[in-house]
Amino acid sequence: MHIAILTFDGYNELDSLIALGVLNRVRKADWRVSIASPSPRVRSMNGVVIESHIDLEQACSADAVIVGSGIRTREVVADQSLMALLKLDPSRQLLAAQCSGTLVLAKLGLLDGVPACTDSTTKPWVQAAGVDVLDQPLFAKGSIATAGGCLSSAYLAGWLIARSEGVDAAVEALRYVAPVGEKDDYVARAMRNITPYLDRSAAA
């Protein structure tokens, strides 16, 4: 299983890096999580520079893709050459988007007829793209999930793990990162948000 986290200049650290950390709690030889960027290095909205693992073309062949958010997402969706590189396909991939990453999926036409979650800043832009925005942290339909609010990135990562490896694996990963003394409550709340969007085999 290869999961790519699309991370652009101006990225939000809480979106890309929390997802990276939670997803990497799965310890399997064939499990791989990559930061994917259009350039070898990207700088966050707060000046944190990281190196990408793969480019966008490689990301598009991954089994799952998370579109992270940031302060330059409207520049991303306005860049036709960059958007043309994003050949994402929900028939062969799990697709997820965090906050303003939802705008990317909307502009790619992947949310037609599907309501979505995003942050309050991005909400009007997603609505202008013709997508109904929900007032909740996570929503998924089929192989596409969206999340709203920086800390809902853990829910998005949990959904991907549950879809790929089962609920027990998602619970284990979320329990590891949950605050000490609050682990049961945190995991229960997370799974209340995730479980409705799993098929019966994954939720069993």
Side-chain angles (χ1 to χ4, degrees):
M1 181 72 174
H2 182 201
I3 302 171
I5 304 173
L6 303 191
T7 303
F8 303 97
D9 266 323
Y11 73 92
N12 185 320
E13 305 95 333
L14 293 175
D15 294 346
S16 290
L17 301 184
I18 288 178
L20 179 76
V22 174
L23 289 166
N24 271 315
R25 296 316 308 164
V26 176
R27 304 297 191 187
K28 292 184 64 177
D30 63 348
W31 185 269
R32 176 185 170 204
V33 186
S34 302
I35 295 291
S37 304
S39 57
R41 292 180 180 84
V42 285
R43 182 181 298 273
S44 79
M45 61 194 293
N46 293 306
V48 178
V49 177
I50 60 173
E51 295 186 358
S52 62
H53 300 119
I54 58 174
D55 60 25
L56 298 183
E57 183 178 5
Q58 292 170 300
C60 291
S61 65
D63 301 297
V65 178
I66 296 176
V67 185
S69 77
I71 59 173
R72 296 183 178 173
T73 305
R74 285 194 293 176
E75 295 175 30
V76 170
V77 298
D79 187 334
Q80 295 183 3
S81 60
L82 192 158
M83 291 290 282
L85 297 174
L86 301 180
K87 301 184 185 303
L88 306 179
D89 184 353
S91 70
R92 62 177 177 83
Q93 297 170 303
L94 292 175
L95 300 179
Q98 176 73 37
C99 292
S100 67
T102 299
L103 181 62
V104 176
L105 293 188
K107 291 293 189 178
L108 288 172
L110 296 171
L111 297 178
D112 289 348
V114 179
C117 301
T118 189
D119 61 277
S120 57
T121 299
T122 310
K123 179 178 178 178
W125 308 331
V126 173
Q127 290 174 322
V131 177
D132 290 333
V133 174
L134 303 172
D135 185 24
Q136 60 191 62
L138 179 73
F139 178 81
K141 183 175 181 181
S143 58
I144 299 177
T146 53
C150 299
L151 296 182
S152 65
S153 54
Y155 297 170
L156 204 62
W159 176 81
L160 277 170
I161 295 171
R163 282 292 306 262
S164 305
E165 299 296 321
V167 166
D168 288 347
V171 167
E172 182 179 353
L174 291 167
R175 181 174 294 279
Y176 184 91
V177 303
V180 171
E182 300 179 357
K183 290 186 180 293
D184 289 344
D185 290 343
Y186 181 92
V187 172
R189 182 174 63 251
M191 296 313 297
R192 281 198 301 271
N193 284 287
I194 294 168
T195 304
Y197 305 112
L198 303 176
D199 61 30
R200 291 183 178 181
S201 60

